[in-house]
Amino acid sequence: MKAYVFPGQGSQFRGMGRDIYQNSEAARKLFDQANQLLGYDLTRIMFEGTDEELKQTIYTQPAVLLHGVVLALTAESFAPDMVAGHSLGELSALTAAGALSFENGLKLASIRATAMQKACELAPSSMAAVLGLADDVIEQICAGITSEIIVPANYNCPGQVVISGSIAGIELAAEQLKAAGAKRVLPLAVGGAFHSPFMEPAREEFANAVEAMSFSEASCPVYQNVNAQPTKDPSTIKANLIAQLTAPVRWTQSVEQMAADGATEFIECGPGKVLQGLIKKIVSTAAVASI
């Protein structure tokens, strides 16, 4: 069985999507439609923008979604048995699986990005990758720090968990995590503490947009970040999508569940190959590829 997976923020690169734009009329139509829907030239930012410009959350999220969805929708071979996406990638997965229209998927990515950007500006916060430590040890250390907000945010693969919280919380946790045996604790160059309580203002704003948006039943099971469980149901999808902004991304658990449910091949749709590397660490027997 084939699982199609969609990356999130951080996978972007300058020039992303230019090749498919040049080689596919169907892709060109979708790129041009995206520019019209958003009211600015996103393709110019993707193809010719500076790294700094492309790194801005308000552009990154629509760009990564657009790239992944166009790859999926214009590929003759796209016939998923199941889909999943990492963080923002969940919106891409839902759009590719027909739970969201192209227009609504892009709109929600833009609304989500703007809401998260605003939440980042309300209070200084950040994230850090913790390498070489068991999940439960990281959870215990984060839970033991009560003077600051610090939580596990991304379960990326065994031995790689990203934590999210206040600047002081990250520093405090880093000391304790290293003392507990973490190989490294790497600060990430992000705008704020995604998938943490710091995103509560963004969650509220995003929830209003999601509730007002029309969703359809997905064409195949979508494994959502908050619980790593499959669903096609629009109301379940909505609730999980909203909860995702302040909850951890359970990517390790999602891939394990997809493999348990029969996925043998994981195909990445979007810029880069980050998810393929993570999947091989989660399920070593899985075949991985790009669309």
Side-chain angles (χ1 to χ4, degrees):
M1 292 175 79
K2 289 184 179 179
Y4 283 78
V5 294
F6 296 80
Q9 197 165 343
S11 59
Q12 73 276 359
F13 62 89
R14 191 166 178 253
M16 59 189 272
R18 189 193 282 123
D19 53 345
I20 188 170
Y21 183 89
Q22 291 171 342
N23 297 324
S24 164
E25 187 181 344
R28 275 195 297 280
K29 284 182 180 173
L30 290 170
F31 277 111
D32 293 343
Q33 188 184 344
N35 291 338
Q36 271 188 315
L37 286 168
L38 293 168
Y40 63 87
D41 195 347
L42 179 61
T43 50
R44 183 204 64 76
I45 294 167
M46 291 169 70
F47 302 166
E48 301 160 18
T50 63
D51 290 338
E52 280 306 309
E53 198 174 16
L54 194 54
K55 207 160 68 177
Q56 291 178 49
T57 293
I58 53 166
Y59 299 135
T60 311
Q61 295 197 16
V64 171
L65 177 131
L66 179 60
H67 189 254
V69 170
V70 168
L71 281 173
L73 296 184
T74 59
E76 288 178 19
S77 60
F78 184 69
D81 295 302
M82 54 188 83
V83 294
H86 188 288
S87 190
L88 163 77
E90 186 162 289
L91 271 180
S92 311
L94 290 167
T95 306
L100 278 166
S101 67
F102 176 73
E103 179 179 355
N104 285 347
L106 199 61
K107 278 184 184 173
L108 279 183
S110 183
I111 291 165
R112 183 184 189 271
T114 304
M116 289 172 76
Q117 184 72 45
K118 283 195 281 190
C120 288
E121 290 163 5
L122 289 174
S125 59
S126 194
M127 304 175 81
V130 184
L131 306 181
L133 204 58
D135 293 359
D136 60 339
V137 177
I138 297 168
E139 288 164 357
Q140 285 165 16
I141 287 172
C142 287
I145 297 171
T146 54
S147 58
E148 296 288 337
I149 294 173
I150 186 77
V151 294
N154 298 342
Y155 294 86
N156 284 337
C157 68
Q160 188 189 126
V161 172
V162 174
I163 57 172
S164 189
S166 65
I167 307 294
I170 296 274
E171 290 171 357
L172 198 54
E175 288 175 24
Q176 295 185 24
L177 291 162
K178 287 174 188 169
K183 288 180 185 171
R184 297 177 80 185
V185 180
L186 302 171
L188 301 182
V190 292
F194 301 145
H195 303 288
S196 83
F198 280 97
M199 287 297 114
E200 183 57 32
R203 190 196 67 78
E204 290 175 10
E205 187 174 334
F206 185 59
N208 292 333
V210 169
E211 294 295 357
M213 200 73 79
S214 173
F215 281 65
S216 303
E217 183 172 309
S219 61
C220 66
V222 181
Y223 288 71
Q224 292 191 272
N225 291 174
V226 295
N227 58 7
Q229 294 301 309
T231 186
K232 295 182 184 180
D233 174 62
S235 59
T236 304
I237 286 169
K238 281 187 173 190
N240 288 339
L241 197 55
I242 293 164
Q244 190 223 59
L245 286 196
T246 52
V249 173
R250 299 190 179 278
W251 187 249
T252 300
Q253 298 85 340
S254 297
V255 172
E256 286 171 345
Q257 191 60 54
M258 285 190 281
D261 291 346
T264 53
E265 189 177 355
F266 291 81
I267 300 155
E268 187 165 4
C269 296
K273 296 183 177 180
V274 170
L275 296 184
Q276 293 172 65
L278 297 179
I279 288 163
K280 287 300 283 184
K281 289 175 181 171
I282 299 165
V283 181
S284 60
T285 55
V288 296
S290 295
I291 203 165

